[in-house]
Amino acid sequence: MKLITAVVKPFKLEDVKRAVEEQGVHGMTVTEASGFGRQRGHTEVYRGAEYTVDLVPKVRIEFVVDDADVPRVIDAVVGSAHTGKIGDGKVWVTPVESIIRVRTGEQGPEAL
Amino acid sequence: MKLITAVVKPFKLEDVKRAVEEQGVHGMTVTEASGFGRQRGHTEVYRGAEYTVDLVPKVRIEFVVDDADVPRVIDAVVGSAHTGKIGDGKVWVTPVESIIRVRTGEQGPEAL
Amino acid sequence: MKLITAVVKPFKLEDVKRAVEEQGVHGMTVTEASGFGRQRGHTEVYRGAEYTVDLVPKVRIEFVVDDADVPRVIDAVVGSAHTGKIGDGKVWVTPVESIIRVRTGEQGPEAL
Amino acid sequence: MEPVLDTGTTAWLLVSTALVFIMIPGLAFFYGGMNRSKSVLNMLMMVIASTFVVGILWIAYGYSMAYGSTTGNFVGSFTDYFGVTQAISVGGDGFPPMVDVAFQAMFACLTVGLIAGAVADRMKFGAWLIFAGVWASLVYFPVAHWVWGDGWIGQLNIGGAEVIDFAGGTAVHINAGAAALVLVIVLGKRLGWPRMPMRPHNLTMVMLGAGLLWFGWFGFNAGSAYAADGVAALAATNTLVATCGGGLAWLLVERLRDGHATSLGAASGIVAGLVAITPACANVTPLVAVLIGAVAGVLCALAVTLKYRLGYDDSFDVVGVHLVGGLVGTLMLGFVATDVFGDGASVGLFAGGGFSLLTVQAIAAGGVLIYSFVIAGIVALVLKAVMGIRVSAEDETSGVDLALHAENAYDIVESGGGGAFAGIGKGSIDREDG
Amino acid sequence: MEPVLDTGTTAWLLVSTALVFIMIPGLAFFYGGMNRSKSVLNMLMMVIASTFVVGILWIAYGYSMAYGSTTGNFVGSFTDYFGVTQAISVGGDGFPPMVDVAFQAMFACLTVGLIAGAVADRMKFGAWLIFAGVWASLVYFPVAHWVWGDGWIGQLNIGGAEVIDFAGGTAVHINAGAAALVLVIVLGKRLGWPRMPMRPHNLTMVMLGAGLLWFGWFGFNAGSAYAADGVAALAATNTLVATCGGGLAWLLVERLRDGHATSLGAASGIVAGLVAITPACANVTPLVAVLIGAVAGVLCALAVTLKYRLGYDDSFDVVGVHLVGGLVGTLMLGFVATDVFGDGASVGLFAGGGFSLLTVQAIAAGGVLIYSFVIAGIVALVLKAVMGIRVSAEDETSGVDLALHAENAYDIVESGGGGAFAGIGKGSIDREDG
Amino acid sequence: MEPVLDTGTTAWLLVSTALVFIMIPGLAFFYGGMNRSKSVLNMLMMVIASTFVVGILWIAYGYSMAYGSTTGNFVGSFTDYFGVTQAISVGGDGFPPMVDVAFQAMFACLTVGLIAGAVADRMKFGAWLIFAGVWASLVYFPVAHWVWGDGWIGQLNIGGAEVIDFAGGTAVHINAGAAALVLVIVLGKRLGWPRMPMRPHNLTMVMLGAGLLWFGWFGFNAGSAYAADGVAALAATNTLVATCGGGLAWLLVERLRDGHATSLGAASGIVAGLVAITPACANVTPLVAVLIGAVAGVLCALAVTLKYRLGYDDSFDVVGVHLVGGLVGTLMLGFVATDVFGDGASVGLFAGGGFSLLTVQAIAAGGVLIYSFVIAGIVALVLKAVMGIRVSAEDETSGVDLALHAENAYDIVESGGGGAFAGIGKGSIDREDG
Ligand SMILES: Nc1ncnc2c1ncn2[C@@H]1O[C@H](COP(=O)(O)OP(=O)(O)O)[C@@H](O)[C@H]1O
Ligand SMILES: Nc1ncnc2c1ncn2[C@@H]1O[C@H](COP(=O)(O)OP(=O)(O)O)[C@@H](O)[C@H]1O
Ligand SMILES: Nc1ncnc2c1ncn2[C@@H]1O[C@H](COP(=O)(O)OP(=O)(O)O)[C@@H](O)[C@H]1O
């Protein structure tokens, strides 16, 4: 099993959710985050003053999925979160050794 | 060492905390999250109108623990977070290669 | 590739950011968190009453970095987040199997 | 005899002016709290900036159109009080005319602001401001003349019954409600409505707004007595208790229909009660005022779900609360109005007045409703054709606060202690997201 | 001579009515900010909805019980002013009686609302509303008669000294404080109290509440002069400066005791000063008013920790601030009251009046304290037996806002820009959690 | 003839007192919303606690220094009204003198509070309170004497032209603005300024503050007529429409300069318009008032960026809005003042009055500006030398709310339902972080 972590632009959350649902993903966990990357250095004007923005709002989405589903889910996320503009985000994959559903105690793929 | 990530119902946080403390867990890190899973599809009435709820509030708890403690901690979490109703959450385990305590620079089990 | 997760005191975020930038880290993702550790048990007085504080505010920072950069980045984080007082936080490392840049679809080190 | 200044009445009108003023921010918060957090500032801005516009138009020519010498009982002279310099005087007969200018200015600004609650999240800011100015000029100023100036509604008399619209159930609430209805029909629904819940982002703000509205409404209603006397006192008492009735009734409906009495319901019931008692507050006894409020509470609580059945996205229920509540108060007078002060006021059916009062009330309400609906609809259609009145889907999705005003309302770091995020950019603008 | 309407006084009473009204939302915010964020709406609802109930009861029979012809100096006639139609008139002797109905209605609603601060997070909403209505009927209306009607406290005279309770230290604050004390004893502690900190979730809201309370208190105190004259002016000045004294004193206590002067302390000191000067504001000079406020600031700051020692969970210190502050002002008058206007008012010990004034003040305070405590206790016990007054532990844990009102106060997405969470369900209800 | 009490005027002054009072919390919120969330409570505390101090000083000796018999037209007697007991009376000539004590007390407190907006995030709380008390004593009380007592500004007469400062453009706004300027020069910049954005943490709070300020300003300006008459009515009307002009103008500048009209701009434009019309509200017609507001809106919107060029960290633009806005209103009178009431008031250049009025206006403005700047600078330097006026860098970084007041403003758990974090410590204090 794998954990896919995606950091994407907040307004893309709905789209990503719909895209992965179509791939049969049954669940995900979302947190609000702030991101720092190449977008850094971008300047803004407010009340007549300029300043540099470092951290921009992102959402961080986690999916635990079966190994076999990883490529499809990644494609769905990348496809739906893509705008082509800087700051679109990252998706990374880490190994998961086990997973349990709290409600039932089921383990492994059944827990998803 | 392992990282145990638990996504549970917010009002269970206190119970989980107490349960893992009894297992000798020395620390944890908590973030507010929103969850999407089988609970999705559930409908609500507000101001006379019905709508579907997708994301429901959860807390996401991380414990870095010794390999040997993993089963006990998982049992404590699952036991204390359990309500038997849909949306109770998930617990998953990922490998940790190293850990450092910032205050002292200690590494490995001593850092916990 | 590795994922470095650092949980540090909130007011150290700026310092950590600067320190890792000097190590050439190109990006990071930050979430607000609450921590529970040895700091627990600490008591406070408010409105004439004493009570124990369990969860204290932290920030949780994630860096995906090349394997080779891990030690340097950890040193930078530990060095910059250090105050020597209890509650300074932890840094842990987990393996990453792949990473993709959403904007371009680049994979691996190029995605960083 | 020389005109005598009544300083007590003048003091009361000055205060009432300030009280009605605070309803404007009150309204902004009442609506703003119902927004999602990505569009609350835009709502505050719509209400405040339309006040900027209408306040200036009012002293330029609005007061003159409302209170100047009449042209065919339709509209007052544009120039009689142009710039309101003619109203400047130290004294006055009872009160200086300028205090009436200020007092009524607040009514004009507030009435226009009411409409904003219907168009949350999706209207172009510039188009809103133009709509506000044009609607005030073509609809509100004439209708104020109809009701309070020398206009046809004030002149109506059927079988001795004359229209009762003490503080503006018709001129303010039905008027604004009708305009809101047609404006949202032209504007269209919010993206995702009604599928997405779009619940209030800050119910304490809604409550603050309701509290300020209720507070200011004492000036709105009791100030409309144009005297510091027992009429004002009755209006104040009725303003309190009708609202109690409205709030309680709305909560009961929710408890029975949805299972829970909500704070949004309490706030809405307050406003429904206030709206309904507005035309009626000097023409019924307090227990009847409770009844009027309660009926409005029930009917408005039911009416706010109409939009789901009929499919117009009146975002914060301007129609369901102001149009319906205004009709409740205006028409109930036809039944329950009594001659409380024994000065020969028109009375309703139950007080032996027959159907005459009900008839004139219905004519007044219907006349204003249709006029406002038609003119507002034409204005909206013209603006839509000429400049567009709706923001892009992208701006609507990412939020009009950011898109139109380059701001997010909140940058609250609850951990506080570290100030980690504060001002580093979290509250700032991710322009590439647009 | 025909009764003459004083429009200035009438205007001032109309305004004071509105000013006391705004104390109700002010109180709701003062308390609501101290809640945890999972129960703020319930606090707003308790204060607002008890106002709905008490407002209606007041005009139905409350005013009559307070100001109707007396039965044994204990309670006024139920019917003299039933429905308050008897108070309707255009003019009046000085002011129209109806303005007194409205002004005093606010006192009744506010006094009941004060009690809500003690029972945060855990009382059944329906039980609260019934308690509010019954306590108002059995305690507040009679006590108002005792103090301001033809009741025994107004009649007390020992050695020429008569009770001074200008704006209601006894009738309002001691009265509400005593009821709050017994109600929380019957109701029990919040789960986790006092182990869990349960700190205020929004101190800016507490400050807003304190600001609105202070603002409205000018009407509460200076309006109680029932005239727009120098007595009202002195009351207003004292209302300002006693509060300055109370705020400063509380901050000093905190600085010395806890190390930091807090904003919760500033807000509490404001209220303590206001409470203490309420009975006294027309009977002392401004510098003495500062002293009264400062003494109240110190004593209340110390008193709010009593609950930890005695073990009653008076959540937001209704006892520590209103009961104690009310006693401070009422009893200090026995020492420092002077005949400021030279009209023969009772004076205290330091002005050569001996112990007479202190004695009557103590009798009045004690009488109201005991009566309110006993009756409120009986009402609470009966309600507890009959219907239960406390929510389930599950509802209390997950939060009464959600459990009772199906709402969360806030759904704020600070990142704003994306509107990712807004309205998708984060602010919505996870019903399974219950 | 016996002095006659005018209850209408007295009522209006009592109300105006309350209205000016609410500007104090209004100001606190206006500024507080602009803070980062780690320092909002400290801002509220600075404004509220300086009110505690100045309120007491005012009745002790401030009123006496302002309105007592003059010493060389520089300052009033310290003892004439010491403790203001001399002002106690039931009646009075027109109004009881005590109502003037209360009304003017609010001006003193507010003026001092204005300065706080410049020193956000970094000033020691104790040092601020001492500065507040000393500046009030050495600067505000004498300057009030200059302008409204028997002081030199009130005596100025050049070619028949006398200074016009109706409600305090010079005495309040220029005075506070000049003090703020020198204080921030002595205090130094916030850490990270101007590199870090430090944007407002809660723009709805800024709007609430602006709304309350506007509301209270009706009492500030129209109350300064010291009568419930047509002068007050004109002042009220101008207070409305100048503000509309100011708000609209600021939004236009932002739209053209930055691309977006912001809510911070709307709020700032409101205050700029209010400041500018303050001295002028009884000496111009409403359309000219719109012009004054609009000019202030434009010039202040441009002036707030000066600090970046000149390098002083006037955090929330006390200089840019109050000093500049006060100068705009005061000096524009030299051009546009007209004798609106035909009572021989000084008129400006455009009304044929030549340069005399402009000259006296400039002398008054300049005199107060220099005096306040110099004395405030000396006070600040002495305090800096004696006790230090700035918090440690550590406290500033982690936030003064926590460091000075042991609190965080917010502990909002938006998920609500679970109440997971609420009160468990998230809102509590991580003392080791300091
Ligand atoms: N090395 C990294 N580790 C963790 N998160 C990262 C890393 N690099 C980027 N991110 C996250 O991805 C987001 C987008 O990255 P950025 O470099 O701004 O844009 P892009 O991927 O389009 O070049 C960042 O805001 C941050 O949240
Ligand atoms: N595949 C997944 N990856 C990550 N988080 C998940 C996944 N599935 C569920 N979750 C989390 O677990 C929570 C509970 O899951 P849900 O399916 O609603 O209930 P249950 O586990 O009782 O069937 C979700 O709200 C979500 O936060
Ligand atoms: N076992 C753990 N798993 C996850 N996070 C932990 C763990 N132990 C500590 N932490 C995090 O590190 C923070 C600091 O730990 P703490 O024990 O308080 O201080 P120190 O590391 O200085 O001894 C905690 O607040 C928590 O967020």
Side-chain angles (χ1 to χ4, degrees), chain A residues 27-29 62-64 101 103 112, chain B residues 7 35-39 58 86-90 92:
Chain A
M28 61 198 228
T29 298
E62 287 171 304
F63 315 88
V64 179
R101 182 195 306 280
R103 174 161 52 92
L112 291 182
Chain B
V7 178
F36 163 80
R38 283 165 210 275
Q39 269 183 287
K58 301 285 168 197
I86 203 163
D88 268 359
K90 314 276 176 195
W92 63 77

Side-chain angles (χ1 to χ4, degrees), chain D residues 40-381:
Chain D
V40 49
L41 295 179
N42 176 248
M43 180 52 70
L44 304 187
M45 289 288 274
M46 284 200 289
V47 175
I48 295 298
S50 69
T51 294
F52 293 162
V53 171
V54 177
I56 293 172
L57 296 185
W58 177 257
I59 58 123
Y61 58 77
Y63 182 77
S64 207
M65 284 176 70
Y67 294 97
S69 51
T70 195
T71 302
N73 302 128
F74 182 80
V75 66
S77 148
F78 192 82
T79 53
D80 275 9
Y81 291 97
F82 188 86
V84 300
T85 44
Q86 304 83 345
I88 294 176
S89 67
V90 175
D93 202 356
F95 54 85
M98 184 60 84
V99 76
D100 190 31
V101 173
F103 182 55
Q104 286 296 334
M106 304 306 178
F107 281 65
C109 296
L110 185 77
T111 305
V112 174
L114 287 173
I115 303 170
V119 301
D121 295 7
R122 60 198 187 283
M123 189 159 177
K124 280 190 185 173
F125 187 57
W128 161 252
L129 290 184
I130 294 171
F131 179 87
V134 173
W135 185 84
S137 302
L138 298 186
V139 181
Y140 183 79
F141 300 159
V143 167
H145 183 76
W146 297 0
V147 177
W148 294 311
D150 239 359
W152 67 267
I153 290 182
Q155 310 292 325
L156 261 188
N157 184 320
I158 294 185
E162 295 177 0
V163 172
I164 302 173
D165 190 20
F166 191 71
T170 298
V172 173
H173 298 286
I174 294 175
N175 199 357
L181 180 56
V182 72
L183 183 55
V184 298
I185 293 172
V186 175
L187 184 63
K189 310 164 193 179
R190 282 171 291 178
L191 294 177
W193 187 90
R195 185 179 47 79
M196 280 164 61
M198 302 183 176
R199 293 178 62 153
H201 88 286
N202 189 342
L203 283 159
T204 71
M205 187 185 285
V206 174
M207 274 293 190
L208 173 64
L212 291 178
L213 283 170
W214 197 350
F215 173 60
W217 224 296
F218 288 104
F220 194 94
N221 282 354
S224 292
Y226 281 89
D229 62 3
V231 181
L234 179 63
T237 303
N238 285 345
T239 300
L240 174 67
V241 298
T243 311
C244 294
L248 220 45
W250 193 301
L251 293 182
L252 275 172
V253 169
E254 285 193 331
R255 186 79 177 78
L256 299 172
R257 183 188 60 192
D258 307 336
H260 295 90
T262 69
S263 66
L264 183 60
S268 305
I270 286 169
V271 177
L274 287 165
V275 168
I277 203 61
T278 293
C281 54
N283 296 74
V284 296
T285 60
L287 286 174
V288 177
V290 174
L291 181 74
I292 291 178
V295 170
V298 171
L299 293 183
C300 294
L302 298 174
V304 296
T305 65
L306 272 180
K307 63 184 177 187
Y308 298 108
R309 259 165 286 165
L310 303 180
Y312 59 92
D313 178 11
D314 170 21
S315 310
F316 305 147
D317 298 314
V318 183
V319 176
V321 173
H322 292 274
L323 180 52
V324 173
L327 285 170
V328 167
T330 299
L331 297 181
M332 273 187 80
L333 274 170
F335 298 94
V336 300
T338 47
D339 183 9
V340 277
F341 293 105
D343 57 0
S346 306
V347 302
L349 184 65
F350 299 160
F355 285 97
S356 310
L357 182 57
L358 185 58
T359 309
V360 291
Q361 296 292 102
I363 292 172
V368 169
L369 198 165
I370 293 166
Y371 180 72
S372 177
F373 187 92
V374 171
I375 305 294
I378 293 171
V379 174
L381 287 168

Side-chain angles (χ1 to χ4, degrees), chain A residues 22-98:
Chain A
E22 280 166 23
Q23 300 303 323
V25 169
H26 296 108
M28 61 198 228
T29 298
V30 184
T31 45
E32 289 186 64
S34 301
F36 163 81
R38 281 166 212 277
Q39 267 184 288
R40 162 183 72 110
H42 127 87
T43 62
E44 272 178 23
V45 181
Y46 188 65
R47 206 173 174 80
E50 274 204 2
Y51 51 84
T52 306
V53 171
D54 275 339
L55 290 170
V56 291
K58 300 285 168 196
V59 294
R60 181 180 180 282
I61 317 175
E62 287 171 304
F63 315 88
V64 179
V65 298
D66 264 343
D67 293 14
D69 295 336
V70 170
R72 280 194 303 136
V73 173
I74 288 182
D75 285 356
V77 172
V78 170
S80 59
H82 180 88
T83 69
K85 300 204 196 112
I86 203 162
D88 268 359
K90 315 276 175 194
V91 180
W92 63 79
V93 181
T94 52
V96 169
E97 302 188 345
S98 66

Side-chain angles (χ1 to χ4, degrees), chain F residues 39-131:
Chain F
S39 48
V40 49
L41 295 180
N42 176 248
M43 180 52 69
L44 304 188
M45 289 288 274
M46 285 202 286
V47 175
I48 296 298
S50 68
T51 294
F52 294 162
V53 171
V54 177
I56 293 172
L57 296 185
W58 176 257
I59 58 122
Y61 58 77
Y63 181 76
S64 208
M65 284 176 70
Y67 293 97
S69 52
T70 196
T71 301
N73 300 129
F74 182 78
V75 67
S77 148
F78 191 82
T79 53
D80 275 8
Y81 290 98
F82 188 86
V84 300
T85 45
Q86 303 82 345
I88 294 176
S89 68
V90 175
D93 201 356
F95 54 85
M98 185 59 87
V99 77
D100 190 30
V101 172
F103 182 54
Q104 286 296 333
M106 305 305 179
F107 280 64
C109 296
L110 185 77
T111 305
V112 174
L114 286 173
I115 303 171
V119 301
D121 295 9
R122 61 197 187 284
M123 189 161 178
K124 281 190 182 173
F125 187 57
W128 162 251
L129 290 184
I130 294 172
F131 179 86

Side-chain angles (χ1 to χ4, degrees), chain F residues 21-335:
Chain F
F21 169 78
I22 198 67
M23 294 173 70
I24 297 170
L27 181 71
F29 290 115
F30 178 69
Y31 285 157
M34 290 193 228
N35 274 82
R36 285 169 290 171
S37 65
K38 65 178 178 176
S39 48
V40 49
L41 295 180
N42 176 248
M43 180 52 69
L44 304 188
M45 289 288 274
M46 285 202 286
V47 175
I48 296 298
S50 68
T51 294
F52 294 162
V53 171
V54 177
I56 293 172
L57 296 185
W58 176 257
I59 58 122
Y61 58 77
Y63 181 76
S64 208
M65 284 176 70
Y67 293 97
S69 52
T70 196
T71 301
N73 300 129
F74 182 78
V75 67
S77 148
F78 191 82
T79 53
D80 275 8
Y81 290 98
F82 188 86
V84 300
T85 45
Q86 303 82 345
I88 294 176
S89 68
V90 175
D93 201 356
F95 54 85
M98 185 59 87
V99 77
D100 190 30
V101 172
F103 182 54
Q104 286 296 333
M106 305 305 179
F107 280 64
C109 296
L110 185 77
T111 305
V112 174
L114 286 173
I115 303 171
V119 301
D121 295 9
R122 61 197 187 284
M123 189 161 178
K124 281 190 182 173
F125 187 57
W128 162 251
L129 290 184
I130 294 172
F131 179 86
V134 173
W135 185 83
S137 302
L138 297 185
V139 181
Y140 184 78
F141 300 159
V143 168
H145 183 76
W146 296 0
V147 177
W148 295 311
D150 239 0
W152 68 267
I153 289 182
Q155 309 293 324
L156 260 189
N157 185 319
I158 294 185
E162 297 176 1
V163 172
I164 302 174
D165 189 21
F166 192 71
T170 297
V172 173
H173 298 285
I174 294 175
N175 199 358
L181 179 57
V182 71
L183 184 55
V184 297
I185 292 172
V186 175
L187 184 64
K189 308 164 194 178
R190 283 172 290 178
L191 294 177
W193 187 89
R195 185 179 45 81
M196 280 164 62
M198 304 183 173
R199 294 177 62 152
H201 88 286
N202 189 340
L203 284 158
T204 71
M205 187 184 285
V206 174
M207 274 293 191
L208 173 63
L212 291 178
L213 282 170
W214 197 350
F215 173 59
W217 223 296
F218 287 104
F220 195 95
N221 283 354
S224 292
Y226 281 89
D229 63 1
V231 180
L234 179 64
T237 303
N238 285 345
T239 300
L240 174 68
V241 297
T243 311
C244 294
L248 221 45
W250 193 300
L251 292 182
L252 275 172
V253 169
E254 285 193 331
R255 186 76 178 79
L256 299 173
R257 183 187 61 193
D258 307 336
H260 295 90
T262 69
S263 66
L264 183 60
S268 306
I270 285 170
V271 176
L274 287 165
V275 168
I277 202 62
T278 294
C281 55
N283 296 75
V284 297
T285 59
L287 286 175
V288 177
V290 174
L291 180 73
I292 291 178
V295 170
V298 170
L299 292 183
C300 294
L302 298 174
V304 297
T305 64
L306 271 181
K307 61 183 179 188
Y308 298 108
R309 259 166 285 165
L310 302 180
Y312 60 92
D313 178 12
D314 169 22
S315 311
F316 305 148
D317 298 314
V318 183
V319 176
V321 173
H322 292 275
L323 181 52
V324 173
L327 286 171
V328 166
T330 299
L331 298 182
M332 273 187 80
L333 274 171
F335 297 93

